[in-house]
Structures are given as C-alpha cells and as structure tokens.
Amino acid sequence: MIDGVGYNTVLFLDAQDRDEPNALTEGQTRDWKDAQEGAEGAGVYFDMPSLEMDNTCIYTSGYGRSALHTTSDVEKTVIRDSAIIAVGSEGRDSSAPGVICMYASSRPMLIESSGKTYIYNSELISSDWGVYSLDGCYGADVYIVNDYSLNTVGGYSMYALGFAAGQENATHFYGSYAASAQYGTILCAAGRTYTGALTDAPAEALAELGDSELGEPILKNGWSYIGGRENAVTMQADMSGAEIVGILDAKHTVFDTVGVTDLRTGAPLVDTMDIYDYKNDMAYGAAHYFLRYIHGAAFAIRSENVDMTLDECEVYSSKDVAIQSVIGYDNMAANIKVPDGTEYHGSDITVRNMDLRGDVLHEDYQRKMVLSLENASLTGAVVSGTCAAWNRSVSEFIDAEWTDYDDQLGHTKEIVYATLCPDAAYETIWGVRMSLDGDSAWTVTGDSSLNRLVVADGAVIEAPAGHSLEIYVDCAMNGADEFYDWTTGTRVDSLGAGEYTGVVILVK
C-alpha cells in the first residue's frame, strides 16, 4: 500500500489551460461543448522498448491528460511501489455518458503497448474514465498484483478488449483492490480478465517483482476486490461477430455493487448520476434509461458472447441481481444484431465452489445462456427472457421514470423506445440451459423459466423457508411469446435427476 510519502521522483503536470477548478462544487454548470479544451499533454509519455519505475509518483490534472502513456513501441513496463494519479476533471467536464454510457475525462495509465505491463504494490487513482486502460494494442498482458485503485466519480477501473483471434488483450488481477463509481471492470469483445488472490498469482505475474517484496495484503485474506456502483463487471460490444468470445476467469474475488468505497477512508464512491440530473444533459436520452435499467447488477452482459467462471467468489448486488444479460446500447460500439434463428455462442457461465445470491435475468433474447452449478448453491430466480418480454419490461421502466423534462429536450418516448426496444418481430426463443451437479442446490426465490434443465442425482431444488413451489415441465410459449406458459405444461411434484424442457417454477 502507498502511504503518500517517500517517493524519490515527482513528475507533475497541471495544464488545465482553463481557470475553472477541477473539483465538483455545488452550483457548477456543465458545458459539454467546451469539455475538450486543453486536452493535450501527459505526465509521462513513453515510447522506448522498456520502462522500469520504482518508488515514483506521477500526478496530472486536467481533461484528457493521462499520467502514464506507454506507446506501441514499449515491449515491457514494470512499476513497483509507486503512485499514478490523474484527477482529470472529476466529472465536471467529463464527456456526457450519452455517448458511450461512461464518463470520460482522463486516465492514470493509457496502455497502447502490445507487450507486458507489471504493476506491484502501487496505487492508481482516477476521477473518471479508466484506471488500467488498454487502447489500440493487440495481445497485451497487464499484471496487477497487490495494487490499490480507485475511480472516484465515474468510468471504470480495468478494461480488457480484443477484436479478433490473436488480438486478445488481458488483465491479470491478483490480491488487488479496484473500486469505481461506475464500472469495476469492462470486458469488451474478445478481451480477457483473470482474477484471484495473491496466492493464486502464477509465476509469470510475479516475474518482474525483482528485489521488491509484496506488502501486506489489501484484503486480510489476500483476495481481490472489484466493485462498481453501476456494475462490478460489464461485458459489452460484440463488435466482431459470433466467434469472438470474452473470457472472465475469477477465483477468490469479491464482486460488489453494494458497499463500493475508498477502503482506506470508508468513504463511499458517488456516481455523478447521483450528484447531477444527467438525464437532462445527455445528448442521447436513451442512455439514462439503459444505465438505470442495469444499475446494480453485479455482472451485466450487454450483447456479448462470454465464457465466465466464478470459483469460490463472493458476489453482492445492490438490487439482488447477480447476473443480467441485456440487449446492448452504446453509440460507440457496433453491437451485432444476431439474425433471427442464428445460434450464437451467447453466455457460458460456470459457478463453482460457492454460494451465489441474486437473480439471473437472461434478457438478451438474441443469444442463449448456459448456466452450470458445480458444488455450488444459487439463491434467486432464473428467468429466460424473450424479445416481447424485453420490449415490455423496458417500456414499463421508461414509463415509470419519465418526466416532463424529457420531451423538452427532444427525448420523446417514441425515440427512446425505438432505441432500446428494437426487433419487435424477433421470434426465436433461446433462453437458459441450466444444470446442477450432484453437489449443488438451487433455492428458487422468484418465478423462474428455463429452456432446459439438467438435474444430477443428489442435486436439490427447493423453495425458501415458508414458501412452496409449483413446478411445470414441457411448457410452450404463450401466444405473445413473452413467457413459458405453465398452463400448457405438465405439473410435477419435484425435479429429481433427469433432463427437462420448458420448465416453469412458481413460488407460492
């Protein structure tokens, strides 16, 4: 952990080029047209083959000014016992989230290097945009070990992307803490993120530790922590088609949208959407409703193909939704519209050696979801959504949140509906394919619907205390294609070992 004193070098750049203060203060106004004035410069801009930095602090202030920028010529970057800070504009002059559903001002680390980056025992602070930010690189690996990072107003802590086979960028996160007022981690297209405790770190992750020693674990058990007020992890932008799959492989990690704080002070991180009424500033009115619709889900999968493994992790959701897949909305991402009837990879999710609490809402009707429990318990509902159900639920959400301001700004309901509720005629029903091994249990807390369910001998499916279950199998869709219609199915007393289709479970 960095204590803020004792650095042997200070590189300081304060080039705001404007008179306005950076801090968020009551009564400030925002003018997005002027947001990019004075956006040149960086704390350290590095384009040689190798960079090694020990006991160093880099601090920048101002819109667009990254603290450390490594270019494509850098083959290896090693950072030990250092602090990298880019306060940006602290939300005030960030680009409006209507563009990319994310606040954007400045990044402590802008990594364009396609080589390897190692960061040990260090502290990275950002006001918004990104902390560990990969951009314009291919096949990069970023190893983050025993580090502490904060994104205090918006944006993300980690970012991994990849647009084709062989171009996957990866973040490796061990025994570290990353908290963001918006997204803990963004996984884009074929990006890869690996997380674990300090004891899970492979030899490669520790290869450049040198004479340094890892300090005391940030969390007492040596685990990692990833937290975000919007989502702990958001997976988005399937830009390159069906064969592009993002990977999240997590072990001994806490994923949190409830108590997202500066661990050192206990102060909560406050999303600027909670400070200002950004709904009235966004250039694209649909962005507000999209962000609020997925707000609080621990994992949000936004029109993305993903392989996700959670092994002995802890998951906390502020709205009791562990996993929510949705149709992506992002003006900067070419979200692929899957042709009706074409089978895409979808979401392949394995939950292993842990208790997962919260609903699994599969609302991306263009892709299937495979959900496997292995020596695990799930407490929550599992819902297979359809196109009609998505359009209805999103429309109801917009209606509930609508104000007179929207029409005044040209954000008519018709425009927002058309943006977030497309493809009214989409007919394919993909749904959730769920399986439980013999050491797993599912406590069904809400009405659930499954395309297919495989139950191994010894698995338990039960109601919460004080409730009972009505179970139906072989159910067809209702006439509106909104849900599996239990009146068309066969009622059974229980779900013993076997394979079932068209499953509806009602909690009484």
Side-chain angles (χ1 to χ4, degrees):
M1 287 286 292
I2 298 301
D3 60 11
V5 297
Y7 300 108
N8 58 18
T9 304
V10 176
L11 300 173
F12 181 88
L13 174 64
D14 187 355
Q16 179 83 0
D17 291 347
R18 285 174 290 177
D19 295 331
E20 296 93 331
N22 286 331
L24 284 165
T25 58
E26 185 176 357
Q28 282 185 321
T29 60
R30 300 165 303 286
D31 186 348
W32 306 117
K33 298 190 298 295
D34 298 331
Q36 296 190 41
E37 290 181 2
E40 68 283 346
V44 174
Y45 183 92
F46 197 84
D47 61 357
M48 297 177 69
S50 179
L51 168 65
E52 193 162 336
M53 190 170 77
D54 291 89
N55 198 35
T56 299
C57 177
I58 306 173
Y59 179 95
T60 66
S61 172
Y63 183 93
R65 301 182 183 281
S66 54
L68 175 60
H69 184 165
T70 58
T71 70
S72 58
D73 292 330
V74 181
E75 298 171 3
K76 183 172 72 174
T77 302
V78 183
I79 300 166
R80 309 182 190 95
D81 305 297
S82 295
I84 303 175
I85 302 167
V87 297
S89 298
E90 297 189 0
R92 179 189 174 277
D93 288 318
S94 306
S95 63
V99 178
I100 54 176
C101 293
M102 182 185 71
Y103 300 95
S105 174
S106 193
R107 296 173 278 195
M109 287 199 69
L110 175 52
I111 302 168
E112 292 187 334
S113 164
S114 295
K116 297 182 183 296
T117 300
Y118 302 85
I119 312 169
Y120 303 113
N121 301 328
S122 293
E123 179 178 292
L124 291 90
I125 307 296
S126 173
S127 62
D128 51 22
W129 206 348
V131 176
Y132 309 95
S133 182
L134 290 159
D135 196 353
C137 48
Y138 305 99
D141 285 288
V142 180
Y143 297 95
I144 303 162
V145 184
N146 205 40
D147 291 328
Y148 189 91
S149 68
L150 289 177
N151 197 309
T152 58
V153 178
Y156 59 87
S157 288
M158 287 188 294
Y159 181 42
L161 76 165
F163 301 120
Q167 297 182 352
E168 304 92 343
N169 297 298
T171 52
H172 310 257
F173 192 76
Y174 298 103
S176 293
Y177 187 94
S180 172
Q182 199 166 11
Y183 305 118
T185 297
I186 294 178
L187 185 68
C188 180
R192 299 181 178 183
T193 296
Y194 305 91
T195 75
L198 285 176
T199 53
D200 297 319
E204 172 61 26
L206 304 175
E208 298 296 331
L209 191 57
D211 295 332
S212 296
E213 296 182 359
L214 294 178
E216 289 295 318
I218 296 171
L219 299 184
K220 290 182 180 180
N221 56 7
W223 283 28
S224 285
Y225 174 95
I226 298 175
R229 289 288 309 281
E230 297 289 338
N231 311 115
V233 180
T234 185
M235 311 170 199
Q236 66 181 51
D238 181 12
M239 294 181 179
S240 301
E243 301 306 315
I244 300 301
V245 178
I247 295 174
L248 173 63
D249 192 344
K251 189 172 185 178
H252 300 141
T253 302
V254 177
F255 296 95
D256 184 21
T257 66
V258 180
V260 185
T261 66
D262 179 340
L263 186 63
R264 300 162 304 178
T265 66
L269 303 185
V270 181
D271 188 337
T272 43
M273 290 187 77
D274 295 329
I275 299 174
Y276 297 124
D277 188 359
Y278 275 88
K279 179 169 59 173
N280 300 324
D281 291 324
M282 291 180 178
Y284 303 95
H288 169 86
Y289 298 97
F290 178 77
L291 289 174
R292 280 306 184 218
Y293 188 76
I294 63 173
H295 178 82
F299 301 90
I301 306 172
R302 300 156 53 172
S303 288
E304 167 73 322
N305 298 324
V306 61
D307 284 346
M308 181 167 77
T309 300
L310 304 177
D311 189 349
E312 205 172 340
C313 295
E314 296 180 8
V315 177
Y316 302 97
S317 164
S318 61
K319 69 172 185 178
D320 296 323
V321 174
I323 302 168
Q324 185 174 16
S325 71
V326 296
I327 296 296
Y329 164 71
D330 193 328
N331 286 27
M332 298 294 287
N335 295 303
I336 298 295
K337 178 184 180 298
V338 181
D340 198 350
T342 300
E343 184 172 357
Y344 262 35
H345 179 90
S347 301
D348 195 337
I349 300 169
T350 301
V351 181
R352 182 181 296 143
N353 303 320
M354 60 180 283
D355 300 325
L356 179 64
R357 302 186 68 87
D359 295 341
V360 178
L361 306 179
H362 179 46
E363 299 180 293
D364 180 356
Y365 55 82
Q366 296 181 359
R367 294 166 174 81
K368 65 181 184 294
M369 176 182 286
V370 178
L371 175 63
S372 305
L373 302 186
E374 299 177 1
N375 188 34
S377 66
L378 170 63
T379 302
V382 179
V383 178
S384 296
T386 66
C387 176
W390 165 262
N391 290 340
R392 174 183 50 77
S393 59
V394 172
S395 296
E396 289 175 352
F397 180 81
I398 294 168
D399 288 343
E401 293 241 327
W402 198 261
T403 70
D404 292 338
Y405 291 106
D406 298 278
D407 279 322
Q408 295 174 19
L409 294 168
H411 300 162
T412 66
K413 282 188 180 181
E414 289 74 18
I415 292 174
V416 176
Y417 288 160
T419 303
L420 299 184
C421 305
D423 306 322
Y426 199 99
E427 296 178 350
T428 302
I429 309 299
W430 293 111
V432 179
R433 284 93 161 138
M434 184 176 178
S435 65
L436 294 81
D437 72 2
D439 297 312
S440 293
W442 177 20
T443 302
V444 188
T445 60
D447 294 351
S448 298
S449 56
L450 301 168
N451 176 283
R452 185 175 71 244
L453 175 64
V454 178
V455 182
D457 187 24
V460 175
I461 299 175
E462 60 186 2
H467 295 269
S468 61
L469 302 180
E470 283 187 12
I471 304 171
Y472 300 86
V473 298
D474 298 326
C475 300
M477 277 286 155
N478 72 330
D481 281 346
E482 283 204 0
F483 56 87
Y484 290 88
D485 185 356
W486 60 87
T487 64
T488 67
T490 301
R491 184 169 179 177
V492 297
D493 293 331
S494 62
L495 292 166
E499 181 171 344
Y500 308 90
T501 60
V503 179
V504 172
I505 303 176
L506 306 179
V507 181
K508 301 295 184 179

